[in-house]
Amino acid sequence: MERFTFPSPPPSPAAEALRAEVRAFLAGALANRTPLERSESWNGFDRDFSRKMGARGWLGMTWPKRYGGHERSAFERYVIVEETLAAGAPVLAHWIGDRQSGPTLLKFGTEEQKQTVLPRIAAGEAVFCIGMSEPDSGSDLAATRTKAARVDEGWRITGTKIWTTNAHRSNYMILFCRTSGTPADRHAGTSQLLIDLENTPGMTVRPIIDLAGQHHFNEVHFEDALVPAGALIGTEGEGWHQVMSELAFERSGPERFLSSIQLIVELIRALQESESDAARLAIGRLTAHLIVLRRLSRGVAAMLEAGANPSLHAAIVKDVGSIFEQSVPEIARTLVEAEPDKASTSDFNAVLANILLNAPSWSLRGGTREILRGIIARGLGLR
Amino acid sequence: MSETASLLADAATRLFEEHLDEDAIRRAAKGAWLVDAWTAIEAMGLPLALLSEDRGGFGVDPSEALALLRVAGFYGCPLPVGETMLANRVLANAGLPLSDGAAAIVPAGAGAALSREGNRWRLAGTAARVPWSETIGTLLVETAGPEGRHVVRLAKGQWRTTETAANVAGHRRDTIAFDGVVDAVSPFNRDLLLGSAALGTILIAGALDRVLELTVDHVNERVQFGRALAKFQAVQHECAEIAGEVAAAGAAADIAADGLGRPADAARLAIASAKLRAGEAVGRAVGFAHQLHGAIGFTAEHRLHLFTTALWAWREEHRGHGYWAKLIGDAALAAGPDGFWPLVTEA
Ligand SMILES: Cc1cc2nc3c(=O)[nH]c(=O)nc-3n(C[C@H](O)[C@H](O)[C@H](O)COP(=O)(O)OP(=O)(O)OC[C@H]3O[C@@H](n4cnc5c(N)ncnc54)[C@H](O)[C@@H]3O)c2cc1C
């Protein structure tokens, strides 16, 4: 059996220097953000904020300068990512592009795609969404039915994507679809296309309201929608390989265990005067878990920095991380008696409500717990 | 890893493979001291691993030296290798003679008092749960009293065993008493409980690596319903859960190893977190491992329990969950809502 080891993150003075800079920036930029807003975690959307991040050189940080990047290390990027999450900054407008769409284009995209799109992501201008899931293809991504047919003018797309976070306010989507054969062919015959959401006739976006009453995700319908030939990302038929690489980026970050950090902060606030030993023990335990998860996650950053494939390690961190973040509201309710209520004037009650309402999604989005465990089991040689 | 470090890891693996086979571990679980294994450990120089090269160390990073302890954990090592490594480092830094054979550590707060006696010192007190008190050659006692923090080196004959006992894995843990004038005393500015907890965390991570490996091997071999257990998804997912806990314990061990190189006050929160998390990983990983082994894993004949009982013992040694959780909880509450995240990143 191969033993999984997570590399040790080397000390990075550059990253620590950056940390102070980001904290100072966030303290100012987020001064008026309420705890409830902060508890949105990476679901807070604010194009202005993302542009400011871009202007500071904090997006596309590891990419080559010729594509608008800054050629900094994965550890420096990690600091930006974790500090913005911990502060509850509204990062969604740049999150997906910076985390996975940009890196996918960098790795597989055409020169033209890289030159036109990457600098806009790095500037905080181009918002991305992920076109993977479909009504009949959730965990079973290889069952994708959405079809792109090659025609003289480019590609004609027919099909439906669903749960597409941000589609209603994005500039681009990376679409995973079938460019030949049928769903029975599974991985073969799939490809990725870059869809310009502002210029794709035949595409419609319909909102889906989540259980918290919010509009984050959508259904995106393609009906003979036409995109140019240059929309193909990478190699036709290599979509499966490419989308797996994209998912490794998607799963690799600290957002996979920090989703409920604002509730921990409110819990500490609520318990400031408490004499309770049970409270101390519980807070101590949560803190210990967080410190160790962060170490694991920085190990994944070290793998990214070294150019290694972190899929398996990222799956482990996401699985352990989502158990942790989902445990927080369950623990909080044993320490502070409060009815969850987003409209409450008590920050604790409001944040508790928002965390409770969103927690079920954390072990679904980005690959479910069961799918991650399948990946880990494969890594253990069990399947 | 440096080339020297990987050669050392290979050498340690061969050593433990040969001297800590199942038979040896079983003897230790009945309270026996493993003479041959200890001789081999000394011959390789493991007790000096944390010293600089000119004092007999291997000339590798402390974290690389501590990786050898993780290998020891993988083999369920019942001998106080880590304690002796740490004792030697403290003794060398204090300018005192190194350990004579294996060492045990009694951290401050355990019941030892150091007092002035003329221009000499007297150490008096008792200590419980001391490993193999009748076999070890040196005892390192840490005291914290009105005179400040000190370490005292006791040689064989300066303590007596008042009660013999064992931990849940069967390894000897005795009660001892000491009372006498001592000369090998040095002021001390570190923290032996913290150091011991760090070593314990590394040992736990190593043994958990083994528990995962034993479980994966078992589910691949055992056939039920015409298939290897490994082919059942429920089994795969429980193995994946073990892997997650083992990964967490491994990260905890890395944190602990780094912590040993930092000043105690800077490392306290990190090591406390590591020890706590590794202890929790034991509960979950061992639970799944026994579940997946079925009844055979519940027998004295099967080797699984040699590792799981050791893990149950080790996670309570050098203080258990409550002690460390309270220490961390106090720090987090003192940091307050605004200081919490900086506390986490500085740990
Ligand atoms: C908040 C949120 C945002 C999202 N954003 C996006 C987005 O932007 N773009 C996008 O493409 N998708 C997005 N998704 C969709 C997400 O990727 C899917 O929800 C996920 O892949 C699971 O698919 P499903 O919902 O169809 O569930 P299903 O696949 O139907 O699964 C239902 C349950 O069955 C289990 N299950 C399924 N197959 C197996 C199996 N083989 N073995 C064991 N158990 C199994 C699953 O683990 C799960 O517990 C989002 C989802 C959420 C909740």
Side-chain angles (χ1 to χ4, degrees), chain A residues 24-103:
Chain A
F25 163 73
L26 292 172
L30 306 180
N32 297 322
R33 205 163 164 76
T34 65
L36 177 62
E37 287 167 338
R38 290 173 196 259
S39 74
E40 287 294 307
S41 186
W42 44 292
N43 274 327
F45 186 97
D46 180 347
R47 277 182 180 267
D48 277 344
F49 178 82
S50 293
R51 277 190 207 100
K52 283 184 199 158
M53 292 286 292
R56 283 184 158 66
W58 293 344
L59 303 179
M61 283 183 85
T62 61
W63 310 345
K65 289 189 174 150
R66 65 180 185 284
Y67 301 129
H70 304 281
E71 301 184 3
R72 297 179 80 165
S73 72
F75 306 111
E76 290 170 281
R77 174 171 183 271
Y78 191 91
V79 164
I80 299 290
V81 169
E82 70 171 349
E83 288 296 328
T84 48
L85 283 171
V91 294
L92 187 56
H94 64 258
W95 202 250
I96 290 166
D98 179 69
R99 172 182 76 188
Q100 68 190 87
S101 316

Side-chain angles (χ1 to χ4, degrees), chain B residues 202-224:
Chain B
I202 298 169
L203 211 55
I204 288 173
L208 280 173
D209 288 334
R210 183 63 166 276
V211 164
L212 173 60
E213 188 170 304
L214 288 172
T215 307
V216 166
D217 288 349
H218 179 77
V219 302
N220 273 324
E221 281 157 23
R222 168 82 172 159
V223 173
Q224 285 291 282

Side-chain angles (χ1 to χ4, degrees), chain A residues 314-337:
Chain A
I316 290 178
V317 183
K318 184 174 181 300
D319 184 32
V320 179
S322 67
I323 294 173
F324 168 76
E325 55 187 18
Q326 288 177 333
S327 77
V328 173
E330 297 306 307
I331 291 166
R333 68 175 286 276
T334 67
L335 301 173
V336 176
E337 200 159 322

Side-chain angles (χ1 to χ4, degrees), chain A residues 106-118:
Chain A
L106 190 63
K107 202 162 166 190
F108 303 110
T110 63
E111 193 53 38
E112 193 201 328
Q113 288 165 348
K114 289 195 262 196
Q115 284 186 13
T116 53
V117 183
L118 291 180

Side-chain angles (χ1 to χ4, degrees), chain B residues 15 39 59 66 95 159 180 182 205 207 215 223 290 298 301 327 339 342 347:
Chain B
L15 186 158
T39 306
L66 291 165
W159 70 87
V182 287
T215 307
V223 173
H290 273 294
F298 190 62
E301 189 189 339
L327 183 150

Side-chain angles (χ1 to χ4, degrees), chain A residues 30-264:
Chain A
L30 306 180
N32 297 322
R33 205 163 164 76
T34 65
L36 177 62
E37 287 167 338
R38 290 173 196 259
S39 74
E40 287 294 307
S41 186
W42 44 292
N43 274 327
F45 186 97
D46 180 347
R47 277 182 180 267
D48 277 344
F49 178 82
S50 293
R51 277 190 207 100
K52 283 184 199 158
M53 292 286 292
R56 283 184 158 66
W58 293 344
L59 303 179
M61 283 183 85
T62 61
W63 310 345
K65 289 189 174 150
R66 65 180 185 284
Y67 301 129
H70 304 281
E71 301 184 3
R72 297 179 80 165
S73 72
F75 306 111
E76 290 170 281
R77 174 171 183 271
Y78 191 91
V79 164
I80 299 290
V81 169
E82 70 171 349
E83 288 296 328
T84 48
L85 283 171
V91 294
L92 187 56
H94 64 258
W95 202 250
I96 290 166
D98 179 69
R99 172 182 76 188
Q100 68 190 87
S101 316
T104 297
L105 290 173
L106 190 63
K107 202 162 166 190
F108 303 110
T110 63
E111 193 53 38
E112 193 201 328
Q113 288 165 348
K114 289 195 262 196
Q115 284 186 13
T116 53
V117 183
L118 291 180
R120 295 185 57 215
I121 301 177
E125 297 285 349
V127 178
F128 266 77
C129 64
I130 306 164
M132 295 187 196
S133 304
E134 298 179 11
D136 292 328
S137 168
S139 298
D140 186 9
L141 192 53
T144 181
R145 289 173 193 278
T146 298
K147 228 178 141 72
R150 220 197 236 291
V151 292
D152 289 342
E153 316 92 291
W155 301 92
R156 277 217 181 271
I157 308 167
T158 305
T160 303
K161 290 289 163 181
I162 197 167
W163 319 126
T164 323
T165 301
N166 258 354
H168 58 302
R169 47 194 178 187
S170 291
N171 305 90
Y172 294 98
M173 169 194 282
I174 292 184
L175 175 78
F176 175 70
C177 63
R178 201 161 280 294
T179 42
S180 67
T182 69
D185 295 325
R186 307 288 298 163
H187 306 167
T190 57
S191 302
Q192 286 186 305
L193 296 173
L194 177 66
I195 311 295
D196 180 345
L197 297 182
E198 289 150 314
N199 291 298
T200 300
M203 187 203 75
T204 46
V205 177
R206 204 178 60 79
I208 303 176
I209 304 303
D210 67 26
L211 65 76
Q214 291 179 314
H215 174 202
H216 287 302
F217 50 35
N218 304 272
E219 187 176 279
V220 183
H221 193 59
F222 296 88
E223 196 160 345
D224 272 334
L226 183 68
V227 298
L232 181 71
I233 300 170
T235 311
E236 185 181 338
E238 283 297 306
W240 183 258
H241 162 66
Q242 293 179 200
V243 86
M244 287 299 118
S245 152
E246 181 179 341
L247 281 169
F249 293 126
E250 178 167 350
R251 293 171 180 155
S252 66
E255 68 268 40
R256 303 307 181 180
F257 61 89
L258 287 174
S259 307
S260 51
I261 179 121
Q262 192 62 38
L263 184 55
I264 303 181

